[in-house]
Amino acid sequence: MPEEKKLSPLQIKRRYTKYAMAASLGVLVVSGFQKGKTARTVHTAAGFALIGLAAYHTALYKKRS
């Protein structure tokens, strides 16, 4: 069995943030095709979640000068 690389806590945060962004994007797409008040609410919440996660994901990377 190959040895698994040990990830730093920062790399783990980056990875899970990417997973959450992909999930919220999926929910955004699916809810965009549905009709009704619940779908609209879910669509709006998923959009805000994607925006927040994108901002958090960007903040996890240090600015290189």
Side-chain angles (χ1 to χ4, degrees):
M1 275 181 118
E3 273 187 48
E4 289 192 30
K5 246 179 24 175
K6 187 83 171 173
L7 298 175
S8 72
L10 180 60
Q11 289 172 323
I12 292 170
K13 286 180 186 178
R14 289 175 180 169
R15 178 175 288 182
Y16 285 126
T17 304
K18 288 177 190 177
Y19 292 158
M21 286 173 58
S24 66
L25 183 60
V27 170
L28 193 66
V29 169
V30 170
S31 65
F33 287 110
Q34 296 175 344
K35 295 183 181 182
K37 186 174 181 174
T38 304
R40 189 175 342 148
T41 303
V42 169
H43 187 75
T44 303
F48 281 122
L50 184 60
I51 291 169
L53 287 164
Y56 179 64
H57 178 70
T58 303
L60 289 175
Y61 288 88
K62 292 181 181 176
K63 185 177 178 182
R64 295 181 183 170
S65 51

